[in-house]
Amino acid sequence: MPNQRIEVLIAIIMATLGEKKLLITRNLQEVLGEEKLNEILKTRDLKIYWGTATTGRPHVAYFVPMSKIADFLKAGCEVTILFADLHAYLDNMKAPWELLALRTQYYEAAIKAMLTSIGVPLEKLKFVRGTEYQLSKEYTLDVYRMSSVITEHDAKKAGAEVVKQVDHPLLSGLLYPGLQALDEEYLKVDAQFGGVDQRKIFTMAEKYLPQLNYAKRIHFMNPMVPGLTGGKMSASEEDSKIDLLDNPSNVKKKLKKAFCEPGNITENGVLSFTKHVVFPLMKPGETFKICRAPEHGGNVEYTDFEHLEAAFAKEEIHPGDLKVSVEQAINNLLAPIQEIFKDPKLQELTKKAYPPPSKAKGKGNTEVDDITPSKLDIRVGRIVDVSRHPDADALYVEKIDLGEEDPRTIVSGLVNFVPIEEMQNRDVVVLCNLKPAKMRGVESKGMVLCASIDEPKQVEPLLPPQGSNPGDKIVIEGYETGEPDDVLNPKKKVWEKLQVDLKTNDSLMAVWQGNKLISKINGNPTTTKSMKNAQIK
Ligand SMILES: *[C@@H]1O[C@H](CO)[C@@H](O)[C@H](O)[C@H]1NC(C)=O
Ligand SMILES: *[C@@H]1O[C@H](CO)[C@@H](O)[C@H](O)[C@H]1NC(C)=O
């Protein structure tokens, strides 16, 4: 009899242990140190931290880590949230020094509002700012100790996916991963949680903390959830993200652009949002409802993600209907946050921490690296009609199919370089978002990109990537994410500044700072027929 009771007791303990572990690890992509997790859970609850560098405005994708934090709390974990203010600066000054304190205040308010919105009791969490302890004597000495065990190679490798990669990397980017490792020790946690993009930093921490006689920690990694509006989850391309303060009509507008193909469940940001946010946050008995007119199958409800995903894969759920439900879910999540942010103090803070670009101007480094090649809208075009310009000998007037409803009129100075027969039906590479300009009375809505050498003058239109069709997008390798500008700002000379680094190289490839111009569809490179080391313009 007593034996039996003990067995039952053990079974109950094992079940709660199992349940805690399940909650802690569900939806994660990877866990490093699972055995240690099992050991700790046998005797006590886990201590864990999540850090966020206080850079760009947090947006709806931040609900993904937030809902994991809710899981950790449900599993009894002691959770610390680190506002990594120093890190925000070390990462290529993403937060300018003079805005650092304001951004940290904004993050604190925004993250707390998000947690409130999803029903997480704030008093159960610990909030810490990096500079509260990262400037102490002990910590500083440890940074120096760390910097004499970590090799430069390892520090660079560790930061490769997190620290912004630039042409002239700063020393600060090498310090970043080491500080993050030390944070684990100074926050007195068993585990760190982050996106899988942090993996190299995590493994570096595992390698080097023991060399300073500190314990190796457990690491939990969320998958990189595809963004709702394209690109990976990052706060750096504000316009393309759904901001916490976006009103319902903005949410609708941005969600409209979300990639969500009928039946396609890979890279589907809308579906992923339900998996990582909507379902995990549902209370017992709640369902995810798709509302449809009776002639479209009527309403359906789902209690788990797997069934919703299967139905979507079978095209039983239309992307439009899914988006409507997700839009509702997002608005429900945002409403309480926006209520909190009605506070005039917070409105003032929002304005100060993220001054609109025009006001930030002249403040020097607040717009670091504003000009990236993802601003360019480059597409494959097919010349469907071509004629000589009525008033200019050197110019052709082309009608180019760019995958839009109507072909665009584009004027190019190619008469002396390409015979008119070779222009007809030719596939070309077109810069589509130049400000339209009249050329001798004919408005040109774009530019055919060519390799060009001045002495002696030679010009050759670029060759589109193999297997391309009109309208296919061309992106610069390494800069695939981010929406191109509607129109490249002529006052800021965006095109001119990017153009200086556009060239063809020795192997006839079109490159920007050495990165290929590739088809977004099939990855093939843009090339030129014969002109090596020429400017592209
Ligand atoms: C689904 O979308 C992804 C991302 O664009 C694409 O790579 C994949 O080929 C699509 N799958 C199907 C079955 O169409
Ligand atoms: C041309 O650029 C591509 C992409 O960077 C590179 O792979 C190739 O090696 C370059 N060719 C030469 C000869 O430098």
Side-chain angles (χ1 to χ4, degrees):
M1 189 63 181
N3 260 348
Q4 234 175 348
R5 274 167 108 181
I6 288 172
E7 266 168 38
V8 170
L9 212 61
I10 288 176
I12 291 173
I13 292 170
M14 293 308 283
T16 39
L17 278 186
E19 220 166 274
K20 280 186 177 176
K21 188 177 163 191
L22 221 64
L23 265 173
I24 292 172
T25 58
R26 74 167 167 180
N27 285 341
L28 290 177
Q29 175 160 330
E30 196 178 351
V31 176
L32 295 173
E34 196 170 341
E35 274 162 37
K36 201 163 177 189
L37 171 66
N38 293 337
E39 280 311 303
I40 292 173
L41 286 181
K42 274 185 205 159
T43 59
R44 61 174 171 83
D45 285 322
L46 194 72
K47 293 181 201 163
I48 186 167
Y49 101 89
W50 173 73
T52 182
T54 53
T55 55
R57 288 168 74 132
H59 48 86
V60 284
Y62 279 61
F63 277 113
V64 175
M66 290 305 111
S67 75
K68 262 328 284 178
I69 286 169
D71 279 351
F72 296 144
L73 280 176
K74 275 183 230 157
C77 301
E78 224 175 84
V79 183
T80 300
I81 291 184
L82 169 67
F83 297 109
D85 46 0
L86 215 45
H87 279 85
Y89 189 71
L90 290 179
D91 187 359
N92 214 46
M93 302 176 287
K94 272 190 188 161
W97 197 248
E98 65 273 20
L99 294 182
L100 205 55
L102 292 166
R103 295 219 166 152
T104 306
Q105 283 172 38
Y106 182 87
Y107 259 71
E108 194 160 347
I111 298 283
K112 285 182 176 171
M114 290 178 93
L115 291 163
T116 304
S117 162
I118 63 175
V120 169
L122 297 183
E123 60 279 9
K124 282 198 166 176
L125 295 166
K126 217 163 107 189
F127 296 94
V128 181
R129 289 183 186 199
T131 43
E132 281 171 28
Y133 63 91
Q134 288 164 343
L135 302 172
S136 73
K137 182 174 171 186
E138 295 72 24
Y139 189 95
T140 308
L141 284 174
D142 270 342
V143 173
Y144 290 129
R145 283 174 70 209
M146 194 79 157
S147 70
S148 49
V149 291
I150 300 184
T151 63
E152 189 186 324
H153 167 269
D154 281 5
K156 214 184 265 179
K157 202 173 92 186
E161 281 184 58
V162 173
V163 179
K164 186 164 176 166
Q165 301 295 300
V166 292
D167 275 351
H168 303 288
L170 299 166
L171 180 59
S172 59
L174 293 178
L175 295 174
Y176 187 111
L179 264 72
Q180 196 168 330
L182 286 176
D183 290 343
E184 296 180 341
E185 174 66 25
Y186 280 76
L187 293 171
K188 301 189 174 54
V189 293
D190 308 305
Q192 184 178 177
F193 161 61
V196 73
D197 58 339
Q198 309 278 323
R199 194 179 197 285
K200 290 182 178 139
I201 293 186
F202 290 170
T203 53
M204 193 202 82
E206 293 193 7
K207 176 172 171 190
Y208 284 108
L209 275 191
Q211 294 192 30
L212 300 183
N213 287 326
Y214 295 141
K216 171 170 138 181
R217 266 50 181 206
I218 304 167
H219 293 103
F220 298 114
M221 285 166 265
N222 246 355
M224 294 322 285
V225 174
L228 278 165
T229 46
K232 84 165 189 180
M233 175 194 142
S234 132
S236 55
E237 299 143 15
E238 273 117 52
D239 284 347
S240 66
K241 310 288 177 192
I242 297 176
D243 190 80
L244 300 178
L245 305 183
D246 271 338
N247 60 27
S249 81
N250 271 340
V251 171
K252 185 186 277 306
K253 207 168 74 193
K254 290 184 180 173
L255 213 49
K256 222 177 186 169
K257 290 194 212 151
F259 177 76
C260 185
E261 255 175 12
N264 189 343
I265 57 170
T266 52
E267 295 285 314
N268 188 328
V270 185
L271 215 45
S272 296
F273 193 80
T274 69
K275 175 174 180 181
H276 290 279
V277 179
V278 179
F279 282 103
L281 291 178
M282 266 174 2
K283 295 183 187 75
E286 274 183 350
T287 60
F288 179 68
K289 196 166 173 183
I290 304 253
C291 297
R292 298 182 297 201
E295 62 269 33
H296 292 129
N299 298 350
V300 279
E301 292 178 39
Y302 294 93
T303 52
D304 60 60
F305 174 72
E306 286 67 30
H307 284 92
L308 171 70
E309 186 185 41
F312 189 85
K314 282 188 265 171
E315 296 194 34
E316 290 168 10
I317 306 271
H318 187 268
D321 294 326
L322 178 66
K323 281 188 184 179
V324 170
S325 298
V326 169
E327 183 187 324
Q328 191 54 52
I330 290 175
N331 287 332
N332 290 345
L333 287 168
L334 296 186
I337 298 174
Q338 294 174 2
E339 196 55 41
I340 293 171
F341 270 79
K342 276 187 186 157
D343 178 347
K345 275 196 211 123
L346 287 180
Q347 297 204 346
E348 187 62 27
L349 173 63
T350 308
K351 261 194 249 153
K352 279 198 194 147
Y354 298 96
S358 58
K359 286 201 189 128
K361 228 168 122 184
K363 274 201 173 174
N365 58 6
T366 47
E367 284 192 281
V368 195
D369 281 326
D370 190 26
I371 295 187
T372 99
S374 52
K375 286 178 173 287
L376 303 174
D377 178 2
I378 304 177
R379 282 182 248 160
V380 175
R382 179 165 300 157
I383 302 178
V384 292
D385 186 43
V386 55
S387 59
R388 300 281 298 265
H389 192 293
D391 299 316
D393 288 347
L395 302 180
Y396 286 129
V397 178
E398 301 121 21
K399 295 252 185 275
I400 302 188
D401 174 4
L402 289 158
E404 297 165 324
E405 216 158 297
D406 297 311
R408 282 198 201 189
T409 302
I410 291 177
V411 179
S412 333
L414 286 170
V415 171
N416 298 326
F417 306 102
V418 186
I420 196 160
E421 315 80 70
E422 285 180 27
M423 292 294 284
Q424 190 67 44
N425 286 325
R426 186 186 185 112
D427 281 355
V428 287
V429 177
V430 178
L431 177 64
C432 296
N433 58 345
L434 271 184
K435 188 162 188 249
K438 279 224 163 120
M439 296 179 76
R440 293 288 197 93
V442 179
E443 185 170 67
S444 180
K445 293 184 170 164
M447 176 161 78
V448 173
L449 292 178
C450 298
S452 168
I453 293 176
D454 282 340
E455 292 291 333
K457 186 77 183 168
Q458 295 174 62
V459 181
E460 195 173 86
L462 294 183
L463 301 173
Q466 280 196 344
S468 292
N469 291 305
D472 286 0
K473 293 209 159 137
I474 292 176
V475 290
I476 282 121
E477 210 170 32
Y479 299 87
E480 290 91 343
T481 57
E483 290 282 311
D485 290 351
D486 286 338
V487 176
L488 297 172
N489 188 334
K491 286 209 190 102
K492 286 196 187 159
K493 302 225 176 298
V494 179
W495 165 241
E496 289 80 354
K497 284 180 189 165
L498 291 167
Q499 190 265 329
V500 290
D501 291 314
L502 269 176
K503 298 189 172 121
T504 62
N505 74 5
D506 255 345
S507 23
L508 297 171
M509 298 228 181
V511 293
W512 183 85
Q513 292 192 352
N515 303 297
K516 290 185 250 182
L517 273 66
I518 55 170
S519 161
K520 196 167 183 179
I521 308 290
N522 61 26
N524 286 335
T526 305
T527 56
T528 179
K529 191 155 153 258
S530 67
M531 283 171 54
K532 295 178 180 176
N533 303 315
Q535 282 293 327
I536 293 174
K537 47 187 172 185

